[in-house]
Amino acid sequence: MTSIGTGYDLSASTYSPDGRIFQVEYANKAVENSGTAIGLRVKDGVVLAVEKLVHSKLLVPGANRRIQTIDRHIGMATAGLLADGRNISNRARSESASIRKTWSEQPTVNAISNRIALYAQVYTLYSSVRPFGISTIFAGIDKNGPSLYVVEPSGVCLGYHGAAIGKGRQLAKTELEKLNLSELSTREAVMEAARIIYLVHDDNKEKEFELEMSWIGDETNGLHVPVPADLLTEADRKAKEALENFE
């Protein structure tokens, strides 16, 4: 058998001769086949935005959300397998409740992210399970200020000023790097996030999508809530105009 052939990809606990774990790479492919999700950490909060691909016209708008609330001050956005995302969100809520019960204090985004990273990494150790086909952005405001972390299928957990996962990750990352995130307000970040999601979707324009957004900041009193409908509509309109001018 070779390192690119059958055999070494049958178990997450088997290394190939060149040190790769194919099951983890397959999980990353599941993430890359999903709609794009981005997170922007700005001066007064954090904004999450997701390109939720609509696979059927029969689906109810707003169903199968890819942005979920973990704690009152923490939200998460996912790219990858939707069912795996629900498993991760339930685990994150349990970890958050555990920290509140044990230490009688508000959990930090860093603590939740690291616990979920350990949980994800355990699923790469045994042949009886498979890695999660999901990458997750955790965002929130805690005693350390605005925070943004990404947990990958391998269990890697990294902090970011701006993060992108999913199919349009590279283009979104390029656009995020052009922004001076430390100078933006959450309202400005909402506009920029919508513009970036529309820009990355342009490469996949044969599929319909819903723009899903949430934010945490001074305007929300530190709570993770969906972006208000009027602001979302305005961001949607400006993003479409920017895309037409870009073309």
Side-chain angles (χ1 to χ4, degrees):
M1 290 183 290
T2 67
S3 62
I4 57 172
T6 306
Y8 296 108
D9 61 352
L10 298 179
S11 168
S13 60
T14 303
Y15 282 98
S16 71
D18 54 353
R20 294 159 65 187
I21 300 178
F22 285 103
Q23 288 277 318
V24 172
E25 293 183 19
Y26 296 160
N28 284 320
K29 286 292 183 185
V31 175
E32 290 173 14
N33 288 332
S34 172
T36 309
I38 62 174
L40 290 77
R41 176 181 149 194
V42 294
K43 65 181 180 181
D44 61 339
V46 190
V47 172
L48 294 173
V50 166
E51 170 206 16
K52 189 171 73 175
L53 299 175
V54 178
H55 299 289
S56 170
K57 292 181 179 179
L58 299 177
L59 283 172
V60 176
N64 297 322
R65 292 182 60 82
R66 298 242 322 269
I67 295 178
Q68 300 185 58
T69 298
I70 299 307
D71 204 311
R72 286 172 295 199
H73 64 297
I74 301 175
M76 64 171 263
T78 60
L81 305 178
L82 196 60
D84 285 13
R86 283 198 293 271
N87 185 304
I88 291 292
S89 66
N90 286 335
R91 177 71 183 204
R93 290 181 188 121
S94 296
E95 295 290 357
S96 180
S98 172
I99 291 172
R100 283 186 180 275
K101 183 177 180 181
T102 305
W103 304 106
S104 299
E105 66 177 24
Q106 192 182 65
T108 63
V109 184
N110 181 40
I112 297 298
S113 301
N114 279 310
R115 288 192 178 200
I116 293 302
L118 289 169
Y119 178 63
Q121 198 261 337
V122 164
Y123 276 70
T124 69
L125 298 179
Y126 306 103
S127 58
S128 57
V129 295
R130 63 162 176 80
F132 289 106
I134 198 102
S135 280
T136 309
I137 300 175
F138 287 99
I141 294 182
D142 51 39
K143 61 185 179 183
N144 301 316
S147 299
L148 187 71
Y149 289 86
V150 173
V151 177
E152 298 176 4
S154 61
V156 170
C157 176
L158 297 171
Y160 288 89
H161 291 289
I165 54 177
K167 182 171 282 188
R169 177 174 58 88
Q170 287 297 343
L171 178 56
K173 183 181 174 185
T174 301
E175 290 298 315
L176 287 169
E177 288 172 350
K178 295 176 183 176
L179 302 174
N180 189 357
L181 293 170
S182 62
E183 299 296 320
L184 292 179
S185 68
T186 46
R187 280 188 174 266
E188 291 168 334
V190 166
M191 300 300 170
E192 293 293 347
R195 179 185 64 81
I196 291 171
I197 290 294
Y198 267 91
L199 185 62
V200 298
H201 178 74
D202 199 41
D203 293 335
N204 195 26
K205 54 175 72 170
E206 71 276 3
K207 289 185 179 179
E208 293 294 319
F209 84 102
E210 281 182 42
L211 176 62
E212 194 177 321
M213 300 183 76
S214 69
W215 60 348
I216 313 140
D218 295 342
E219 293 202 45
T220 70
N221 295 317
L223 301 178
H224 176 249
V225 295
V227 170
D230 57 340
L231 183 58
L232 183 60
T233 302
E234 184 185 354
D236 205 83
R237 178 181 58 78
K238 287 188 175 180
K240 289 176 181 176
E241 289 174 0
L243 187 60
E244 289 171 2
N245 295 334
F246 179 78
E247 293 172 345

